[in-house]
Amino acid sequence: MKIFKRYILLSVLFSIIAACNITRNVPDGYYLLVKNVVEMPKETRISKSEVESVIRQRPNYKTLGLKLKLRAFNAIDSTKTEIDRKERYFKFRKKNRKRISRQEKINDRRIARALKRGEDFYKPKEIDLKDTLDPRPTIRERIKYDYGEAPVIFDSSSMIVSKDQIQLLLQKKGYFNAEVTAAVKPKGKKKYEVHYDLTPKDLHFVDSIFLRTQNSAVKATYEKFLKEGKDVLIPPFRFDSEALAKMRKSLSDYMKNNALYGFKESYVSFEVDTLRSGDTIKIAVDISKRIVGKEETEAFKPFAYTKVRNVHFHLMDTLNYPGNFQKEQLEPRGIQLGPYDNIPTFDTLVYDWYDGRNAQFRTATFFYNGKLTTRAELIEFQNYLEETNYYKGDYLGQSYNRLMNLNIFKTVKPEIIENEDNSIDVHYYLTPQKQRTFSFEPKATHSSSYLGISTSLNYINRNLYRSGNRLKISFSGGFESQPDVFSTNDESAVLNDGTRSFNSLEFGPSIELDIPRLYPLKLKRLSKNQNPTTTFSAVYNFQQRSEFKRQTVQLNYLWKFFDIDRTQVFTVGIPVIGGIQFVRIDKTEGFKNRLEQQNDLFLINAYSNQAIYKDAAVTYSFTNPKLKEGRITFNYGFIFDMAGMTMSLITKDKPSNENGFKEFLGQRYSQFVRLDNEFRLHHYFNKQSIHYRLQVGAGVPLENNGPSLPFDYSFFGGGSNDNRGFRARSLGPGVYKYYLDTSRTVTEMGDMRLGASVEYRFKISSLFEGAIFSDVGNVWTYNEDPNRSGGQITADFYKQLSVSGGIGLRLDFTFLIVRLDLGIPLRNPTLPKNAQWIFQDDAPYIQEAIDQWGIDPDTGDYYYKSDKANFPNPFQPQFHIAIGYPF
């Protein structure tokens, strides 16, 4: 009975939606297009999705198999909508008349006062009027026309055009003699299906493809392309115009990247000979002559290998000019700048560096005013089109990206000027952006009735010492409502005991310095392909809660490496000094006594002073945004940390402290190895998308670390960005029966994690986006925890996964995504076997309470039932508000 009550509301809602007549707005004599059916032989070398993509008329949009947009359109009466529009129009006209009358009275008084003062002018009052030409839509109009979708009425002319488009598609795929028929099939009252029947017939193959040109440079480069280029078609192959188009683009890119300046894709064409007998054809590749100049100066110029002659950088600013630039430089030359004109440059510096070891001279000419705002060596280091080198087409875009990624220029405008001797001059016009900025960033969070507010004040200097060094100084602080560590973690208790109040204070400064090179190495000693950055950072954090005060100091010294397209980022910390963290916790007497009473080594380890010296700190991230022409994006990243190994060698001959741990400089240090991996895949359709995430992480606490990983390196489950059917950090570990433990803590942690998520997103309107999601996962401990039986990882870990599902709503403000998620636990692995799923009976769960505490003879209930806060609902839905997507 309880199960039916959980779903009765949804059942009624879906029944109401399904009951709407989707043909109610289809006029008599017309038909609603409900489906396009494509029928073709199984052996056809073309997919149905490709065929469906060229069909001109498609049925109404579906959401979860239902035409919700069409039903919304039908649900709103057009007559009432028009009446609303008229009533609003007359209402606006009435308001405008009142506003105009009020405006005239105000202006009459102003005129009178001006005349009284003897003035011959006055400032008129202008009151904004309601827009009657393009007024904002009513609620009915928003539902019907903004969200709703009018019925797609079958159009025979669109069916004929679609038939021709399918036949053309088949011909492009090598089925030159294909036949296509189209016919309609009634599907009930006022409904039509359109059936497209394909007969492909013979498939044609290309047995010969050859180049026709007299240009020796083009010939030689084409031969190299056949051996090492991408998308090269080698006969025999099935005729496919799309494959030929890819080869055409790839050939064009290859020519440009092999010193043939000015080569365009439009210069490549194919001549297909289909007059031969049989099903084989041959293709000639033609390269048309290159045209330079415009109109009267237009002329043909043969393709030739091109070198870079000169490189010029124009820093268009007056930031470091010591005098009056207008009077001293512009006026004597008769220059008048408009609001959108570029600032001219008059000072010159020739940069030339060569020490006999670098492969090429690094030379360039700089034009500026007064003094360079950025050092010449840093700017030249971002340029790939070096003087005396051969031209490569990709180098211009890569140089542009490198200059923009310095984040010190507001605009970068590259320009290439071609010379008569088959050489080019490269010009970069650079406009520096504001060097120093301040920002204020307030934030608010909400999860499972726990509120939080925080803010940060940031100062950024983008070009410290004119070397592209980025300095960021921040001070952040905030308040949060946090339950006690030994809280019952029940929703009703949160409402009653006041833990919604801001009982947690957190603040601290941080400083970060990014240097665009491998410090302390000089920039001149590096290869441009490395694109490295060094990061120094220092962070102090102070947290005060009712049970303890926690202070953290963290120091980092990292090297970052980017690939040319910045799709890969590799970060490595310098051993021992690359990552240092000190944690000090001052516990209250009550909290200390509670930990000692429980004698929980895992909790004692989590809430203890620690020092972390990282032997290795490596992170890697990879993004491929070009799969399936951008319709699929793949991301992978990992974080690897190893700490305490060097310290263990240094302290191996030192005695252990009273707790059995080694110390360095009077402080116990942590010793562990940890690896965390994350895979993401995003698949985009028209107005829908499916997103997948897999998280696999594990850490091993070693000899000097205690039974578990340090708190900051532990894994947690549940929350707005994890398993959304569970409260933040409340999931696991393993199958530990938290609900039978009266001494349980509000935060559960583990040394290993496995999690997976899938989320289907669909557009509702330009502002709203809906989502349906499911999350699976859990965390486990590496060592056995006597106080959390069942939490240790075992071979049956896959049977201990929690499952949750839910729905979400996203508000897309372009610059900000506000996310609302309602997650429902579907499977709780800690419960008895016959009660783990939400649709199963909860009798075994209740029986565990009876077995644990017994029955009160006075009431007939188990003793603990009177205190529901200590025996929570394992399938309690969780509501989360967050900023941004979960993944």
Side-chain angles (χ1 to χ4, degrees), residues 80-295:
K80 291 182 180 179
T81 304
E82 189 60 31
I83 291 173
D84 283 352
R85 191 200 304 266
K86 289 183 179 179
E87 288 179 349
R88 182 192 51 204
Y89 172 75
F90 289 117
K91 181 180 178 181
F92 282 4
R93 285 193 60 184
K94 185 177 180 180
K95 284 187 177 181
N96 285 343
R97 283 196 295 268
K98 289 182 178 180
R99 291 184 180 186
I100 292 173
S101 175
R102 180 173 165 233
Q103 177 179 296
E104 289 176 348
K105 290 179 181 178
I106 293 173
N107 287 331
D108 287 343
R109 290 196 296 269
R110 291 187 176 186
I111 292 172
R113 286 197 295 268
L115 293 174
K116 187 176 181 179
R117 292 193 295 267
E119 298 173 349
D120 56 358
F121 65 91
Y122 79 103
K123 184 178 180 181
K125 173 72 174 179
E126 294 183 1
I127 299 178
D128 292 334
L129 301 179
K130 291 284 187 179
D131 189 350
T132 57
L133 296 177
D134 187 21
R136 58 181 177 83
T138 62
I139 294 178
R140 281 195 174 99
E141 285 178 310
R142 287 182 184 274
I143 296 175
K144 189 175 184 70
Y145 300 115
D146 289 352
Y147 172 70
E149 183 182 44
V152 177
I153 306 300
F154 167 73
D155 180 13
S156 59
S157 61
S158 294
M159 180 184 71
I160 295 171
V161 172
S162 298
K163 180 180 77 70
D164 295 339
Q165 289 295 316
I166 294 173
Q167 189 156 5
L168 180 60
L169 174 66
L170 289 170
Q171 291 174 353
K172 289 180 177 180
K173 294 294 183 180
Y175 295 102
F176 293 156
N177 302 316
E179 294 180 358
V180 180
T181 60
V184 296
K185 183 178 180 181
K187 296 296 290 184
K189 187 178 180 181
K190 292 186 177 181
K191 297 179 183 178
Y192 265 178
E193 276 186 359
V194 178
H195 288 245
Y196 297 95
D197 190 5
L198 284 60
T199 306
K201 294 189 177 181
D202 294 333
L203 181 61
H204 286 70
F205 289 83
V206 177
D207 65 354
S208 175
I209 183 169
F210 56 94
L211 177 70
R212 293 193 302 205
T213 184
Q214 299 299 319
N215 189 298
S216 58
V218 173
K219 278 184 180 180
T221 308
Y222 181 79
E223 292 299 323
K224 287 176 59 181
F225 169 75
L226 294 179
K227 296 177 182 178
E228 56 188 43
K230 294 192 306 181
D231 302 315
V232 178
L233 297 174
I234 305 296
F237 60 88
R238 176 173 65 95
F239 179 85
D240 187 335
S241 61
E242 289 186 4
L244 286 170
K246 287 182 179 179
M247 178 177 171
R248 179 187 186 211
K249 184 180 184 306
S250 181
L251 174 60
S252 173
D253 293 341
Y254 190 86
M255 293 287 185
K256 287 185 290 186
N257 286 320
N258 281 268
L260 296 182
Y261 177 75
F263 200 97
K264 299 178 182 178
E265 188 177 342
S266 58
Y267 289 146
V268 183
S269 61
F270 298 105
E271 184 178 287
V272 181
D273 181 6
T274 60
L275 300 179
R276 302 169 69 189
S277 60
D279 57 359
T280 60
I281 57 179
K282 64 178 180 179
I283 299 176
V285 182
D286 290 320
I287 308 296
S288 60
K289 294 181 179 180
R290 182 183 174 219
I291 302 175
V292 296
K294 294 181 180 179
E295 298 178 355

Side-chain angles (χ1 to χ4, degrees), residues 787-818:
N787 293 286
R788 294 173 181 79
S789 179
Q792 187 180 24
I793 188 75
T794 67
D796 292 333
F797 70 91
Y798 61 93
K799 299 179 182 179
Q800 302 174 1
L801 298 175
S802 65
V803 180
S804 64
I807 57 175
L809 182 68
R810 288 86 169 92
L811 282 72
D812 186 354
F813 295 105
T814 304
F815 61 91
L816 181 71
I817 300 289
V818 178

Side-chain angles (χ1 to χ4, degrees), residues 249 465 493 527 573 720:
K249 184 180 184 306
Y465 301 129
S527 167
S720 61

Side-chain angles (χ1 to χ4, degrees), residues 445 450-453 478-482 498-505 544:
T445 59
Y450 304 132
L451 307 177
I453 57 172
F479 299 91
E480 238 183 328
S481 59
Q482 290 282 354
T499 52
R500 267 186 172 173
S501 61
F502 295 124
N503 57 1
S504 176
L505 167 66
Q544 180 172 350

Side-chain angles (χ1 to χ4, degrees), residues 295 351 360 627 669 696 757:
E295 298 178 355
Y351 174 79
Q360 298 289 338
L627 295 174
Y669 60 86
V696 182
S757 298

Side-chain angles (χ1 to χ4, degrees), residues 5 33 53 60 137 161 246 290 304 384 458 482 875:
K5 287 181 180 179
L33 177 63
S53 67
N60 288 94
V161 172
K246 287 182 179 179
R290 182 183 174 219
Y384 287 104
N458 307 310
Q482 290 282 354
F875 298 109

Side-chain angles (χ1 to χ4, degrees), residues 448 719-720 723-727 773-775 803-808 820-826 838 875-880:
S448 304
S720 61
N723 203 313
R724 284 163 280 183
F726 296 83
R727 283 183 284 270
F773 59 83
S774 179
D775 303 315
V803 180
S804 64
I807 57 175
L820 297 88
D821 285 334
L822 178 64
I824 303 173
L826 302 178
I838 190 173
F875 298 109
Q876 177 74 39
Q878 301 299 318
F879 179 67
H880 305 280

